[in-house]
Amino acid sequence: MPIRRLAAFLSLLLALAAPALLRAQFQEPTPDELKMTADPKAPGAAAVFLYREEITDDAFHFYSYYSRIKVLSEKGKDLATVHVPYTHGVNSVTDIQARTIHPDGTVIPVTAKPSDLMDFKAKDYQLNTVVFTLPDVQVGSILEYRLKIRSPDNNVSEPVWDVQVPYFVHKAQFSFHTHTNNGVVDSEGQSLNRLMYGSRLSPDARVNYESSKDLYSLDLTDIPAIPEEDWMPPMNALKWRVQFYYTNAVSGAAFWEDAGRRWARTVEDFIKPNGGLRKTVAEIVAPADSDLQKAQKIYAAVQKLDNTRFTRQKSEAERKKEKIKDIHNAEDVWKQKSGTDDDIALLFIALGRAAGLKAWPVKVVDRNRAIRSEEHTSELQSLRHLV
């Protein structure tokens, strides 16, 4: 049998079997869940999570996510579209199964192929998002989906459990099966010999560890939604979460001093002025301009570039068609007239230096999301905005 015909036959077989597979693997809704029109534990909520599950298994190299959501209003229908970010070329999103359950018990499985969109691409890194939408969602529907993100055998995980989400959660289970018999080495060859975690939870919540299984776990019920009020502190300073990370640090001060040196080396390579940038800045500023005037003109020039953090991300096919290349340095940002907010900020510094200004990049925490903790010896503290 030709390979293409065999593949088509298998696809047809899976499609025919899909409803039965879904019924076998998903939880059957209870009568109370089906007829629910409001939730006394979350008055006025647009939706609630009946159940959330996150599993990280480094022995078998995957993340697994499972959600059951009850839609209680029109706004809650927004949760029918699911976004799954992943590192393209490293991880893969697999085993997607999803279905909508109407209040009368009718089950409608997802059959459409998910979209795979590129969000960001640099020299050695590409972030994509898989997007799928559950069909025929009504007020009163239950949304149910599960999926896996698979990772290479030589990778280890540093999961972040976002315990609180914008909706009330009736029950949530998290687990992390570690697998580090051969030690951990970071991208720069440093040996990391300690697995640690930081947590912010309710007073009665505890992360459990079973040493015989190398298993961390957390089971919770009745998790309140993330608060939303004016003039709130950064969200990561409030919401319940657990973040795992590997480190070799003996103190916070020593860790951040070393991290700063490594980051500075990378940034200096990116913003190093060259002939192209000097020619560009000569077209932007005049020799007689003051330092302030030069900075203002350069700022106005880079502000005209397309900030891809806020515009629709292009797919790989669109990038090829428009001949958009990877960004390796500040000059590439100027040539493409686009880049992330970090790219554009670094371009501003590079052009400023080419104009003779004294300018330095500073890596800071986005204060809309977090407050930096020196004791938390991990660079995964949203340290990404540059000024």
Side-chain angles (χ1 to χ4, degrees):
M1 183 181 291
I3 293 176
R4 292 185 65 185
R5 290 181 62 189
L6 176 61
F9 174 77
L10 290 175
S11 297
L12 175 61
L13 183 63
L14 289 172
L16 292 173
L21 289 172
L22 289 172
R23 285 194 295 272
Q25 295 187 18
F26 284 143
Q27 299 179 27
E28 288 303 315
T30 67
D32 287 343
E33 290 174 342
L34 290 173
K35 68 183 182 183
M36 180 191 294
T37 58
D39 193 334
K41 293 184 176 182
V48 294
F49 279 80
L50 302 173
Y51 180 68
R52 290 184 64 220
E53 177 186 88
E54 293 186 17
I55 299 172
T56 304
D57 194 321
D58 268 3
F60 294 95
H61 309 287
F62 70 82
Y63 297 82
S64 173
Y65 299 90
Y66 176 36
S67 293
R68 300 178 67 240
I69 302 166
K70 179 70 177 185
V71 177
L72 299 174
S73 74
E74 287 293 324
K75 178 175 172 50
K77 292 164 66 174
D78 292 345
L79 292 173
T81 299
V82 182
H83 297 78
V84 187
Y86 74 99
T87 307
H88 180 75
V90 178
N91 300 323
S92 59
V93 181
T94 67
D95 304 305
I96 296 176
Q97 295 178 307
R99 66 179 186 172
T100 302
I101 306 175
H102 287 171
D104 64 1
T106 302
V107 176
I108 305 174
V110 167
T111 56
K113 182 179 179 181
S115 301
D116 193 346
L117 306 177
M118 189 186 73
D119 291 331
F120 171 77
K121 186 172 183 179
K123 179 181 179 181
D124 299 313
Y125 177 76
Q126 180 174 325
L127 182 66
N128 280 28
T129 297
V130 167
V131 182
F132 61 92
T133 301
L134 283 76
D136 196 23
V137 175
Q138 307 171 3
V139 174
S141 294
I142 293 175
L143 314 179
E144 193 168 20
Y145 60 87
R146 65 166 74 245
L147 58 94
K148 287 183 178 179
I149 300 178
R150 299 189 181 274
S151 57
D153 291 352
N154 61 346
N155 278 20
V156 295
S157 304
E158 296 177 304
V160 177
W161 297 341
D162 285 316
V163 176
Q164 272 187 300
V165 294
Y167 300 89
F168 183 88
V169 180
H170 281 264
K171 184 177 181 180
Q173 294 182 312
F174 304 85
S175 68
F176 176 25
H177 180 203
T178 67
H179 187 65
T180 58
N181 295 336
N182 298 322
V184 177
V185 177
D186 69 9
S187 59
E188 298 187 356
Q190 296 187 92
S191 177
L192 309 179
N193 52 20
R194 300 165 64 194
L195 174 62
M196 302 182 67
Y197 68 87
S199 64
R200 183 177 296 105
L201 298 168
S202 60
D204 58 339
R206 293 288 183 275
V207 176
N208 301 308
Y209 177 62
E210 296 179 66
S211 58
S212 62
K213 299 179 181 179
D214 288 329
L215 182 68
Y216 293 86
S217 63
L218 176 65
D219 294 352
L220 295 170
T221 58
D222 293 345
I223 305 169
I226 295 174
E228 185 175 353
E229 301 174 5
D230 293 336
W231 312 109
M232 289 179 61
M235 190 55 63
N236 276 5
L238 294 177
K239 70 178 182 180
W240 300 354
R241 66 201 303 266
V242 179
Q243 180 169 354
F244 292 87
Y245 56 96
Y246 287 94
T247 183
N248 57 6
V250 295
S251 72
F255 174 86
W256 289 111
E257 183 177 353
D258 179 65
R261 283 196 299 264
R262 288 186 283 109
W263 176 77
R265 287 196 298 268
T266 301
V267 169
E268 288 298 326
D269 288 340
F270 189 93
I271 64 178
K272 187 182 300 180
N274 55 31
L277 287 180
R278 292 189 180 94
K279 182 179 179 180
T280 296
V281 82
E283 297 170 352
I284 298 173
V285 304
D289 286 341
S290 66
D291 286 352
L292 177 59
Q293 289 172 324
K294 291 178 181 178
Q296 290 172 332
K297 289 182 177 180
I298 293 170
Y299 181 81
V302 300
Q303 282 292 94
K304 296 177 182 179
L305 304 186
D306 178 25
N307 186 337
T308 57
R309 296 279 187 202
F310 301 100
T311 56
R312 185 183 70 82
Q313 301 296 331
K314 299 180 184 296
S315 67
E316 185 66 23
E318 289 175 313
R319 288 175 63 86
K320 287 182 178 179
K321 183 178 180 181
E322 298 176 26
K323 298 180 179 180
I324 299 175
K325 298 180 179 179
D326 296 346
I327 291 175
H328 301 294
N329 53 46
E331 186 175 12
D332 291 341
V333 182
W334 181 257
K335 287 180 178 179
Q336 294 191 25
K337 303 301 181 187
S338 67
T340 67
D341 45 3
D342 290 351
D343 294 335
I344 293 172
L346 288 176
L347 172 63
F348 172 75
I349 293 173
L351 290 172
R353 289 186 177 183
L357 302 178
K358 294 181 179 180
W360 295 271
V362 178
K363 200 171 188 182
V364 299
V365 177
D366 181 351
R367 290 298 296 271
N368 288 326
R369 296 189 66 249
I371 296 176
R372 177 178 173 270
S373 170
E374 183 171 302
E375 291 73 27
H376 184 181
T377 54
S378 170
E379 293 182 63
L380 301 176
Q381 292 193 46
S382 303
L383 293 167
R384 52 172 302 275
H385 287 271
L386 300 129
V387 295

